[in-house]
Amino acid sequence: MKFIRKRATPLQINDITIIDDAKLKKAITAAALGNAMEWFDFGVYGFVAYALGQVFFPGASPGIQMIAALATFSVPFIVRPLGGLFFGAMGDKFGRQKVLSITIIIMAVSTFCIGLIPSYASIGIWAPILLLLAKLAQGFSVGGEYSGAAIFVAEYSPDRKRGFMGSWLDFGSIAGFVMGAGVVVFISSMVGEQDFLDWGWRIPFFLAAPLGLIGLYLRHALEETPAFQQHVDKMEADDRNAIQNPPKMSFREIASTQWKSLLVCVGLVIATNVTYYMLLTYMPSYLSHNLHYSEDHGVLIIIAVMIGMLFVQPVMGLMSDRLGRRPFVIGGSIGLLVLAIPCFKLINSDVIGLIFVGLLILAVLLNAFTGVMASTLPAMFPTHIRYSALAISFNISVLVAGATPTLAAWLVEATNNLYMPAYYLMVVSVIGLVTGLFMKETANMPLKGATPAASDRSEAKELLQEQYDNIEQRVEDIDSQIKELEKKRQRLIDQHPKLD
């Protein structure tokens, strides 16, 4: 284990944070529900893109309608870094809990408003403009949502369980996708295709209101994270004025001191989210528009794949606490590089069983990334800049990844090559592989700038002993280095006539 802050006295058992199990469960539930709502909207949007294309861009060809609807999905990613900059600074100054309560309100309201927008036939060009404005508001709020939720869970989790606990955050993402897809299929099957195009597509967006209220209630009831509270207490002990006016760091200062961590964060987020958007946002449109399956048929296949992902997700997180985070990033990247083309051969086989297998393989490879991302990213930065650094770097990366559905659709249309998405994933897998090779292992270690966190006092004693063992080993290593240096010194002295 490593600690950034130097201690004037030896670490004692009372210095180790004991995490309250009930509070931990509430924190994970609140964070995962907000994330589920975010991805519920993304999932719904991807699954009804064909309908939105006809409602908001009726004069274009089917292919252009699809690209235009997916472009409206991608444009909000432009404002996500601004949201990350704004909410990241707020989160480091005022705390994680307050910011997460704000972001879920904005997400719920903007998603609900999409369902209220009249069609192009009713108000003309204002229809796509209003759609874009609602998506921009979503993008701004989401800029602080995932990174804040990941930090919230990481700062609440015991060191030895951070991978397992963090995996539930993306479990919420996948569950949101499943729920969004299920709602779309249920409504379209109940009302019929024409009524779904006329008004049925609006219903899933209206569901954001009750989900947002539940999420807000859960988040508002939570206490601040132990790690951030430690940071506040230390600032208060050192300088009471620092609580009211905490020192600020610009992104340039953060980049100059944390550039290695920032690069690793960017690489991991790009590899994860490109795969995410390719599989869960673009593939429903790919199956219906390019492979000519009915919309419901394609969505049902994706739903089955996502349900499989739900079972795999926490297993990946649990195993990462045993084996480390790096093996999953490296293994997932290699798998994506080697298996992307075979998977798309299966998807294009026109055999339902083989299509499912191809998508399932891609889904498990995606689980390798999502199973460790929420526990890996917050561990890269110290407490006082964690929200700012992670939110900015995360959303700059997502700005690149968010273009995936639009670029994939355009590449297939432009080249008439159904394997372009596979080539796209192969390029991204190289980024993931390089990231995995250069990232530092963070499993079972305290967060930077924080004391160790344990589930109970017995585990705290084990952590304390591990810390002492680690110090003893480092002292022995330094002693060995000193002996080697003394030997080298003596050899140099022996070569000089005037030195003794």
Side-chain angles (χ1 to χ4, degrees):
M1 295 182 181
K2 316 190 267 192
F3 297 92
I4 302 301
R5 181 166 60 88
K6 295 181 180 179
R7 301 185 58 85
T9 58
L11 184 70
Q12 302 293 330
I13 188 69
N14 291 332
D15 295 319
I16 296 178
T17 303
I18 307 297
I19 303 296
D20 183 271
D21 191 54
K23 291 180 180 179
L24 173 60
K25 290 177 180 178
K26 289 180 180 178
I28 293 172
T29 302
L33 182 62
N35 218 40
M37 197 189 80
E38 171 193 344
W39 291 96
F40 172 81
D41 168 67
F42 284 173
V44 167
Y45 201 93
F47 292 122
V48 303
Y50 74 97
L52 295 178
Q54 295 180 49
V55 171
F56 292 103
F57 309 98
S61 66
I64 298 301
Q65 285 180 351
M66 180 66 65
I67 293 173
L70 291 174
T72 310
F73 169 88
S74 298
V75 167
F77 287 86
I78 297 172
V79 300
R80 283 186 64 156
L82 297 177
L85 187 66
F86 177 77
F87 289 115
M90 286 186 63
D92 284 332
K93 182 176 182 180
F94 300 110
R96 288 57 163 127
Q97 183 265 349
K98 294 181 179 67
V99 171
L100 287 175
S101 295
I102 295 171
T103 57
I104 200 168
I105 293 173
I106 300 175
M107 278 199 307
V109 171
S110 56
T111 302
F112 181 83
C113 286
I114 291 177
L116 297 175
I117 300 173
S119 67
Y120 188 95
S122 300
I123 60 172
I125 191 64
W126 282 105
I129 290 175
L130 291 174
L131 175 64
L132 182 60
L133 289 175
K135 294 299 292 181
L136 288 172
Q138 279 183 340
F140 188 77
S141 65
V142 170
E145 171 61 31
Y146 182 87
S147 50
I151 289 169
F152 200 81
V153 172
E155 291 184 346
Y156 249 113
S157 299
D159 296 338
R160 291 182 174 179
K161 298 180 180 178
R162 189 167 291 117
F164 179 63
M165 298 303 175
S167 68
W168 290 101
L169 188 62
D170 281 291
F171 181 95
S173 303
I174 301 166
F177 259 99
V178 172
M179 186 166 62
V183 167
V184 170
V185 171
F186 177 75
I187 294 173
S188 63
S189 63
M190 291 295 291
V191 304
E193 185 173 351
Q194 188 56 50
D195 283 341
F196 186 80
L197 288 172
D198 291 340
W199 54 268
W201 64 269
R202 300 178 185 275
I203 298 175
F205 295 104
F206 290 150
L207 294 177
L211 288 175
L213 289 174
I214 296 171
L216 177 62
Y217 170 77
L218 290 173
R219 289 183 176 185
H220 186 69
L222 287 171
E223 297 178 8
E224 191 51 79
T225 67
F228 186 79
Q229 194 59 52
Q230 281 180 15
H231 169 62
V232 171
D233 292 343
K234 183 178 183 299
M235 287 177 62
E236 188 174 28
D238 294 343
D239 181 5
R240 287 185 176 273
N241 292 327
I243 298 296
Q244 299 298 325
N245 299 291
K248 297 180 180 179
M249 286 187 70
S250 66
F251 182 66
R252 179 178 295 180
E253 292 174 303
I254 293 174
S256 65
T257 58
Q258 303 286 328
W259 63 272
K260 290 182 180 179
S261 296
L262 289 171
L263 287 177
V264 169
C265 176
V266 168
L268 180 55
V269 174
I270 287 177
T272 303
N273 281 41
V274 167
T275 311
Y276 216 134
Y277 294 133
M278 184 70 77
L279 180 63
L280 302 183
T281 301
Y282 174 65
M283 287 311 296
S285 301
Y286 180 84
L287 291 172
S288 60
H289 178 70
N290 297 107
L291 301 186
H292 309 295
Y293 287 92
S294 68
E295 284 79 8
D296 288 352
H297 204 167
V299 168
L300 286 172
I301 296 174
I302 297 295
I303 289 175
V305 170
M306 288 190 291
I307 291 174
M309 290 181 68
L310 288 174
F311 290 98
V312 176
Q313 178 70 13
V315 174
M316 292 289 189
L318 181 64
M319 290 174 63
S320 77
D321 286 327
R322 306 288 188 271
L323 305 176
R325 323 291 190 220
R326 293 180 70 241
F328 289 90
V329 177
I330 293 171
S333 300
I334 293 174
L336 205 58
L337 180 65
V338 173
L339 297 175
I341 290 179
C343 284
F344 270 83
K345 285 185 179 294
L346 294 172
I347 293 169
N348 285 274
S349 66
D350 203 29
V351 178
I352 296 295
L354 295 180
I355 293 172
F356 177 79
V357 170
L359 291 170
L360 187 61
I361 293 172
L362 291 176
V364 172
L365 295 174
L366 174 57
N367 276 131
F369 295 121
T370 59
V372 303
M373 187 168 71
S375 56
T376 300
L377 298 180
M380 295 180 183
F381 306 102
T383 305
H384 68 289
I385 61 167
R386 182 170 292 133
Y387 208 146
S388 298
L390 180 53
I392 295 170
S393 56
F394 182 90
N395 288 293
I396 289 174
S397 312
V398 170
L399 181 62
V400 177
T404 297
T406 307
L407 282 177
W410 178 79
L411 286 170
V412 172
E413 289 288 326
T415 63
N416 201 29
N417 185 341
L418 295 176
Y419 287 91
M420 291 307 295
Y423 303 142
Y424 199 120
L425 290 175
M426 292 173 70
V427 172
V428 168
S429 70
V430 175
I431 297 175
L433 181 58
V434 172
T435 300
L437 292 173
F438 282 93
M439 66 184 285
K440 292 182 179 179
E441 186 56 72
T442 61
N444 300 308
M445 295 181 181
L447 296 172
K448 287 185 177 181
T451 55
S455 300
D456 51 42
R457 193 168 180 83
S458 175
E459 186 176 290
K461 291 179 180 179
E462 293 177 11
L463 291 177
L464 185 63
Q465 187 58 51
E466 286 180 7
Q467 169 66 6
Y468 290 161
D469 292 344
N470 180 267
I471 292 174
E472 291 171 4
Q473 182 61 52
R474 291 174 65 184
V475 170
E476 291 178 6
D477 292 342
I478 292 172
D479 287 341
S480 298
Q481 293 173 12
I482 290 174
K483 290 180 181 178
E484 288 298 320
L485 289 172
E486 287 177 344
K487 290 180 182 178
K488 290 182 180 179
R489 177 179 180 275
Q490 188 60 50
R491 284 197 295 268
L492 291 173
I493 289 175
D494 293 341
Q495 297 174 27
H496 197 289
K498 296 183 179 180
L499 293 176
D500 52 31

Coordinates of all heavy atoms in Angstrom, one line a residue, residues 249-312:
M249 N -7.3 24.8 -8.3 CA -6.3 24.3 -9.2 C -7.0 24.4 -10.6 O -8.0 23.8 -10.8 CB -5.8 22.9 -8.9 CG -4.9 22.8 -7.7 SD -4.2 21.1 -7.6 CE -3.1 21.1 -9.0
S250 N -6.3 25.0 -11.6 CA -6.8 25.1 -12.9 C -6.5 23.7 -13.6 O -5.7 22.9 -13.1 CB -6.1 26.2 -13.7 OG -4.7 25.9 -13.9
F251 N -7.2 23.5 -14.7 CA -7.0 22.2 -15.4 C -5.5 22.2 -15.9 O -5.0 21.1 -16.0 CB -7.9 22.1 -16.6 CG -7.8 20.8 -17.4 CD1 -8.1 19.6 -16.8 CD2 -7.3 20.8 -18.7 CE1 -7.9 18.4 -17.4 CE2 -7.1 19.6 -19.3 CZ -7.5 18.4 -18.7
R252 N -4.9 23.3 -16.2 CA -3.5 23.3 -16.7 C -2.6 22.8 -15.5 O -1.7 22.0 -15.8 CB -3.1 24.7 -17.1 CG -1.6 24.8 -17.5 CD -1.3 26.2 -18.0 NE -2.0 26.6 -19.2 CZ -1.9 27.7 -19.8 NH1 -1.0 28.6 -19.3 NH2 -2.6 28.0 -20.9
E253 N -2.9 23.2 -14.3 CA -2.1 22.8 -13.2 C -2.3 21.3 -12.9 O -1.4 20.5 -12.6 CB -2.5 23.6 -11.9 CG -2.1 25.0 -12.0 CD -2.6 25.8 -10.8 OE1 -3.8 25.9 -10.6 OE2 -1.7 26.4 -10.1
I254 N -3.6 20.9 -13.0 CA -3.9 19.4 -12.8 C -3.2 18.6 -13.9 O -2.6 17.6 -13.6 CB -5.4 19.2 -12.9 CG1 -6.1 19.9 -11.7 CG2 -5.7 17.7 -12.9 CD1 -7.6 19.8 -11.8
A255 N -3.2 19.1 -15.2 CA -2.6 18.4 -16.2 C -1.1 18.3 -16.1 O -0.5 17.2 -16.4 CB -2.9 19.0 -17.6
S256 N -0.5 19.3 -15.5 CA 1.0 19.3 -15.4 C 1.4 18.4 -14.3 O 2.6 17.9 -14.3 CB 1.5 20.7 -15.1 OG 1.0 21.2 -13.9
T257 N 0.6 18.2 -13.3 CA 1.0 17.3 -12.1 C 0.4 15.9 -12.2 O 1.0 15.0 -11.6 CB 0.5 17.9 -10.8 OG1 -0.9 18.1 -10.8 CG2 1.2 19.3 -10.6
Q258 N -0.6 15.7 -13.0 CA -1.3 14.4 -13.0 C -1.4 13.9 -14.5 O -2.3 13.1 -14.8 CB -2.7 14.6 -12.5 CG -2.8 15.1 -11.1 CD -2.4 14.1 -10.0 OE1 -2.5 12.9 -10.2 NE2 -1.8 14.6 -8.9
W259 N -0.5 14.3 -15.3 CA -0.7 14.0 -16.8 C -0.6 12.5 -17.1 O -1.4 12.0 -17.9 CB 0.4 14.7 -17.6 CG 1.8 14.3 -17.3 CD1 2.7 14.8 -16.4 CD2 2.6 13.3 -18.0 NE1 3.9 14.2 -16.4 CE2 3.8 13.2 -17.4 CE3 2.3 12.4 -19.0 CZ2 4.8 12.3 -17.8 CZ3 3.3 11.5 -19.5 CH2 4.5 11.5 -18.9
K260 N 0.1 11.7 -16.3 CA 0.1 10.2 -16.5 C -1.2 9.6 -16.2 O -1.8 8.8 -17.0 CB 1.2 9.6 -15.7 CG 2.7 9.9 -16.2 CD 3.7 9.2 -15.3 CE 5.1 9.5 -15.8 NZ 6.1 8.8 -14.9
S261 N -1.8 10.0 -15.1 CA -3.1 9.5 -14.7 C -4.2 10.0 -15.7 O -5.1 9.2 -16.0 CB -3.4 10.0 -13.3 OG -2.5 9.4 -12.3
L262 N -4.1 11.2 -16.1 CA -5.0 11.7 -17.1 C -5.0 10.9 -18.4 O -6.1 10.6 -19.0 CB -4.8 13.2 -17.4 CG -5.1 14.2 -16.2 CD1 -4.6 15.6 -16.6 CD2 -6.6 14.2 -16.0
L263 N -3.8 10.6 -18.9 CA -3.7 9.8 -20.1 C -4.3 8.4 -20.0 O -5.0 7.9 -20.9 CB -2.2 9.7 -20.6 CG -1.6 11.0 -21.1 CD1 -0.2 10.8 -21.5 CD2 -2.4 11.5 -22.4
V264 N -4.0 7.8 -18.8 CA -4.6 6.4 -18.6 C -6.1 6.5 -18.5 O -6.8 5.7 -19.1 CB -4.0 5.9 -17.3 CG1 -4.7 4.6 -16.9 CG2 -2.5 5.5 -17.4
C265 N -6.6 7.5 -17.8 CA -8.0 7.7 -17.7 C -8.7 7.9 -19.1 O -9.7 7.2 -19.4 CB -8.4 9.0 -16.9 SG -10.1 9.4 -16.8
V266 N -8.1 8.7 -20.0 CA -8.6 9.0 -21.3 C -8.6 7.7 -22.1 O -9.6 7.3 -22.8 CB -7.7 10.0 -22.0 CG1 -8.1 10.1 -23.5 CG2 -8.0 11.4 -21.4
G267 N -7.5 6.9 -22.1 CA -7.4 5.7 -22.8 C -8.4 4.7 -22.4 O -9.1 4.0 -23.2
L268 N -8.6 4.5 -21.1 CA -9.6 3.5 -20.6 C -11.0 3.9 -20.9 O -11.8 3.0 -21.3 CB -9.4 3.4 -19.1 CG -10.3 2.4 -18.4 CD1 -10.2 1.0 -19.0 CD2 -10.0 2.3 -16.9
V269 N -11.3 5.2 -20.8 CA -12.7 5.6 -21.1 C -13.0 5.5 -22.6 O -14.1 5.1 -22.9 CB -12.9 7.1 -20.6 CG1 -14.3 7.6 -21.0 CG2 -12.8 7.2 -19.1
I270 N -12.1 5.8 -23.4 CA -12.3 5.7 -24.9 C -12.5 4.2 -25.2 O -13.5 3.9 -25.9 CB -11.1 6.2 -25.7 CG1 -11.1 7.8 -25.6 CG2 -11.2 5.8 -27.1 CD1 -9.9 8.4 -26.3
A271 N -11.7 3.3 -24.7 CA -11.8 1.9 -25.0 C -13.1 1.4 -24.5 O -13.8 0.6 -25.3 CB -10.7 1.1 -24.4
T272 N -13.5 1.7 -23.3 CA -14.8 1.2 -22.7 C -16.0 1.8 -23.5 O -16.9 1.1 -23.9 CB -14.8 1.6 -21.2 OG1 -13.7 1.1 -20.6 CG2 -16.1 1.1 -20.6
N273 N -16.0 3.1 -23.6 CA -17.3 3.7 -24.1 C -17.5 3.6 -25.6 O -18.6 3.5 -26.1 CB -17.3 5.2 -23.7 CG -17.7 5.4 -22.3 OD1 -17.2 4.7 -21.4 ND2 -18.5 6.4 -22.0
V274 N -16.4 3.5 -26.4 CA -16.6 3.2 -27.8 C -17.3 1.8 -28.0 O -18.2 1.6 -28.7 CB -15.3 3.2 -28.6 CG1 -15.5 2.6 -30.0 CG2 -14.8 4.7 -28.7
T275 N -16.8 0.8 -27.2 CA -17.3 -0.5 -27.2 C -18.8 -0.5 -26.7 O -19.7 -1.1 -27.3 CB -16.5 -1.5 -26.4 OG1 -15.1 -1.4 -26.7 CG2 -17.0 -2.9 -26.6
Y276 N -19.0 0.3 -25.7 CA -20.4 0.4 -25.1 C -21.3 1.0 -26.1 O -22.4 0.4 -26.3 CB -20.2 1.4 -23.9 CG -21.1 1.1 -22.7 CD1 -20.6 1.2 -21.4 CD2 -22.5 0.8 -22.9 CE1 -21.4 0.9 -20.3 CE2 -23.2 0.6 -21.8 CZ -22.7 0.6 -20.5 OH -23.5 0.4 -19.4
Y277 N -21.0 2.1 -26.7 CA -21.9 2.7 -27.7 C -22.1 1.9 -29.0 O -23.2 1.9 -29.5 CB -21.5 4.2 -28.0 CG -21.5 5.1 -26.8 CD1 -20.4 5.9 -26.5 CD2 -22.6 5.2 -26.0 CE1 -20.4 6.8 -25.5 CE2 -22.6 6.0 -24.9 CZ -21.6 6.8 -24.7 OH -21.6 7.7 -23.6
M278 N -21.0 1.3 -29.3 CA -21.1 0.4 -30.5 C -22.1 -0.7 -30.3 O -23.0 -1.0 -31.2 CB -19.7 -0.1 -30.9 CG -19.7 -0.9 -32.2 SD -19.9 0.1 -33.7 CE -18.3 0.8 -33.8
L279 N -22.0 -1.4 -29.2 CA -22.8 -2.5 -28.9 C -24.2 -2.2 -28.5 O -25.2 -2.8 -29.0 CB -22.2 -3.4 -27.8 CG -22.9 -4.7 -27.4 CD1 -23.0 -5.6 -28.6 CD2 -22.2 -5.4 -26.2
L280 N -24.4 -1.2 -27.6 CA -25.7 -1.0 -27.0 C -26.5 0.2 -27.6 O -27.7 0.3 -27.4 CB -25.5 -0.7 -25.5 CG -24.9 -1.9 -24.7 CD1 -24.8 -1.6 -23.2 CD2 -25.6 -3.2 -25.0
T281 N -25.8 1.1 -28.4 CA -26.6 2.1 -29.0 C -26.7 2.0 -30.5 O -27.7 2.2 -31.1 CB -25.9 3.5 -28.7 OG1 -25.9 3.7 -27.3 CG2 -26.7 4.7 -29.3
Y282 N -25.5 1.6 -31.1 CA -25.6 1.5 -32.6 C -26.1 0.1 -33.1 O -26.8 0.1 -34.1 CB -24.1 1.7 -33.1 CG -24.1 1.4 -34.6 CD1 -24.7 2.2 -35.5 CD2 -23.3 0.3 -35.1 CE1 -24.7 2.0 -36.9 CE2 -23.3 0.1 -36.5 CZ -23.9 0.9 -37.4 OH -23.9 0.7 -38.7
M283 N -25.8 -1.0 -32.4 CA -26.2 -2.3 -32.9 C -27.7 -2.5 -33.1 O -28.1 -3.1 -34.1 CB -25.7 -3.4 -32.0 CG -24.2 -3.6 -32.1 SD -23.6 -3.7 -33.8 CE -24.4 -5.2 -34.3
P284 N -28.6 -1.9 -32.3 CA -30.0 -2.1 -32.6 C -30.4 -1.5 -34.0 O -31.1 -2.1 -34.8 CB -30.7 -1.3 -31.5 CG -29.8 -1.4 -30.4 CD -28.4 -1.3 -31.0
S285 N -29.8 -0.3 -34.3 CA -30.0 0.3 -35.6 C -29.3 -0.5 -36.7 O -29.9 -0.6 -37.8 CB -29.5 1.7 -35.6 OG -30.1 2.5 -34.6
Y286 N -28.2 -1.0 -36.4 CA -27.5 -1.9 -37.4 C -28.3 -3.1 -37.8 O -28.4 -3.4 -39.0 CB -26.1 -2.3 -36.8 CG -25.2 -3.1 -37.7 CD1 -24.4 -2.5 -38.6 CD2 -25.2 -4.5 -37.5 CE1 -23.5 -3.3 -39.4 CE2 -24.3 -5.3 -38.3 CZ -23.5 -4.7 -39.2 OH -22.7 -5.5 -40.0
L287 N -28.9 -3.7 -36.8 CA -29.7 -4.9 -37.0 C -30.9 -4.6 -37.8 O -31.3 -5.4 -38.7 CB -30.0 -5.6 -35.7 CG -28.9 -6.2 -34.9 CD1 -29.4 -6.7 -33.5 CD2 -28.3 -7.4 -35.6
S288 N -31.6 -3.5 -37.5 CA -32.8 -3.2 -38.2 C -32.6 -2.5 -39.6 O -33.2 -2.9 -40.6 CB -33.7 -2.3 -37.3 OG -33.0 -1.0 -37.1
H289 N -31.7 -1.6 -39.6 CA -31.5 -0.8 -40.9 C -30.6 -1.5 -41.9 O -30.9 -1.6 -43.1 CB -30.9 0.6 -40.6 CG -30.7 1.4 -41.8 ND1 -31.7 1.9 -42.6 CD2 -29.5 1.8 -42.4 CE1 -31.1 2.6 -43.6 NE2 -29.8 2.5 -43.5
N290 N -29.5 -2.1 -41.4 CA -28.5 -2.7 -42.3 C -28.8 -4.2 -42.6 O -28.5 -4.7 -43.7 CB -27.1 -2.5 -41.8 CG -26.7 -1.0 -41.7 OD1 -26.6 -0.5 -40.7 ND2 -26.5 -0.4 -42.9
L291 N -29.2 -4.9 -41.5 CA -29.5 -6.3 -41.7 C -30.9 -6.7 -41.9 O -31.3 -7.8 -42.0 CB -28.9 -7.1 -40.5 CG -27.4 -6.9 -40.2 CD1 -27.0 -7.8 -39.1 CD2 -26.6 -7.2 -41.4
H292 N -31.8 -5.6 -41.9 CA -33.2 -5.7 -42.3 C -34.0 -6.6 -41.3 O -35.0 -7.3 -41.8 CB -33.3 -6.2 -43.7 CG -32.5 -5.4 -44.7 ND1 -32.7 -4.1 -44.9 CD2 -31.4 -5.8 -45.4 CE1 -31.8 -3.6 -45.8 NE2 -31.0 -4.6 -46.1
Y293 N -33.6 -6.7 -40.1 CA -34.5 -7.3 -39.1 C -35.6 -6.3 -38.7 O -35.3 -5.1 -38.7 CB -33.7 -7.8 -37.9 CG -32.9 -9.0 -38.1 CD1 -31.5 -8.9 -38.5 CD2 -33.4 -10.3 -38.0 CE1 -30.7 -10.0 -38.8 CE2 -32.6 -11.4 -38.3 CZ -31.3 -11.2 -38.7 OH -30.5 -12.3 -38.9
S294 N -36.7 -6.8 -38.2 CA -37.7 -5.8 -37.7 C -37.1 -5.2 -36.4 O -36.3 -5.8 -35.7 CB -39.0 -6.6 -37.3 OG -38.8 -7.4 -36.2
E295 N -37.6 -4.0 -36.1 CA -37.1 -3.2 -35.0 C -37.2 -4.1 -33.7 O -36.3 -4.2 -32.9 CB -37.7 -1.9 -34.8 CG -37.3 -0.8 -35.8 CD -37.9 -1.0 -37.2 OE1 -38.9 -1.8 -37.3 OE2 -37.5 -0.3 -38.1
D296 N -38.4 -4.6 -33.5 CA -38.6 -5.4 -32.3 C -37.7 -6.6 -32.2 O -37.2 -7.0 -31.2 CB -40.1 -5.9 -32.3 CG -41.0 -4.7 -32.0 OD1 -40.5 -3.6 -31.7 OD2 -42.3 -4.9 -32.1
H297 N -37.5 -7.3 -33.4 CA -36.7 -8.5 -33.4 C -35.2 -8.1 -33.0 O -34.6 -8.8 -32.2 CB -36.7 -9.0 -34.8 CG -36.3 -10.5 -34.9 ND1 -36.5 -11.3 -36.0 CD2 -35.8 -11.3 -33.9 CE1 -36.1 -12.5 -35.7 NE2 -35.7 -12.6 -34.5
G298 N -34.7 -7.1 -33.6 CA -33.3 -6.6 -33.2 C -33.2 -6.3 -31.8 O -32.2 -6.6 -31.1
V299 N -34.2 -5.5 -31.3 CA -34.1 -5.1 -29.9 C -34.2 -6.3 -28.9 O -33.5 -6.3 -27.9 CB -35.3 -4.1 -29.6 CG1 -35.5 -3.9 -28.1 CG2 -35.1 -2.8 -30.3
L300 N -35.0 -7.3 -29.2 CA -35.1 -8.5 -28.4 C -33.8 -9.2 -28.3 O -33.4 -9.7 -27.2 CB -36.2 -9.4 -28.9 CG -37.6 -9.0 -28.7 CD1 -38.6 -9.9 -29.5 CD2 -38.0 -9.0 -27.2
I301 N -33.0 -9.3 -29.4 CA -31.7 -9.9 -29.3 C -30.8 -9.1 -28.4 O -30.1 -9.7 -27.6 CB -31.1 -10.0 -30.8 CG1 -32.0 -10.9 -31.6 CG2 -29.7 -10.5 -30.7 CD1 -31.5 -10.9 -33.1
I302 N -30.8 -7.8 -28.5 CA -29.9 -7.0 -27.7 C -30.3 -7.1 -26.2 O -29.5 -7.1 -25.3 CB -30.0 -5.5 -28.1 CG1 -29.4 -5.4 -29.6 CG2 -29.2 -4.6 -27.2 CD1 -28.0 -5.7 -29.7
I303 N -31.6 -7.1 -26.0 CA -32.1 -7.3 -24.6 C -31.6 -8.6 -24.0 O -31.1 -8.6 -22.8 CB -33.6 -7.3 -24.5 CG1 -34.2 -5.9 -24.8 CG2 -34.1 -7.7 -23.1 CD1 -35.7 -5.8 -24.9
A304 N -31.6 -9.7 -24.7 CA -31.1 -11.0 -24.2 C -29.6 -10.9 -23.9 O -29.2 -11.4 -22.9 CB -31.4 -12.1 -25.3
V305 N -28.9 -10.2 -24.8 CA -27.5 -10.0 -24.6 C -27.2 -9.2 -23.3 O -26.3 -9.6 -22.5 CB -26.8 -9.4 -25.8 CG1 -25.4 -8.9 -25.5 CG2 -26.8 -10.3 -27.0
M306 N -28.0 -8.1 -23.1 CA -27.8 -7.3 -22.0 C -28.1 -8.0 -20.7 O -27.5 -7.7 -19.6 CB -28.6 -6.0 -22.1 CG -28.0 -5.0 -23.2 SD -28.7 -3.4 -23.1 CE -30.4 -3.8 -23.7
I307 N -29.1 -8.8 -20.7 CA -29.5 -9.6 -19.5 C -28.3 -10.5 -19.1 O -28.0 -10.6 -17.9 CB -30.8 -10.4 -19.7 CG1 -32.0 -9.4 -19.8 CG2 -31.0 -11.4 -18.6 CD1 -33.3 -10.1 -20.2
G308 N -27.7 -11.1 -20.1 CA -26.5 -11.9 -19.8 C -25.4 -11.0 -19.2 O -24.6 -11.5 -18.3
M309 N -25.2 -9.8 -19.7 CA -24.2 -8.9 -19.2 C -24.4 -8.6 -17.7 O -23.5 -8.4 -16.9 CB -24.2 -7.6 -20.0 CG -23.6 -7.7 -21.4 SD -23.6 -6.1 -22.2 CE -22.4 -5.2 -21.3
L310 N -25.7 -8.5 -17.3 CA -26.0 -8.2 -15.9 C -25.5 -9.2 -15.0 O -25.0 -8.9 -13.9 CB -27.5 -8.1 -15.7 CG -28.2 -6.9 -16.3 CD1 -29.8 -7.0 -16.2 CD2 -27.8 -5.6 -15.6
F311 N -25.5 -10.5 -15.4 CA -24.9 -11.6 -14.5 C -23.4 -11.5 -14.5 O -22.8 -11.9 -13.5 CB -25.4 -12.9 -15.1 CG -26.9 -13.2 -14.8 CD1 -27.8 -13.0 -15.8 CD2 -27.3 -13.6 -13.6 CE1 -29.2 -13.2 -15.6 CE2 -28.7 -13.8 -13.4 CZ -29.6 -13.6 -14.4
V312 N -22.8 -11.1 -15.6 CA -21.3 -11.2 -15.7 C -20.7 -10.0 -15.0 O -19.6 -10.1 -14.4 CB -20.9 -11.2 -17.2 CG1 -19.4 -11.1 -17.3 CG2 -21.4 -12.4 -17.9

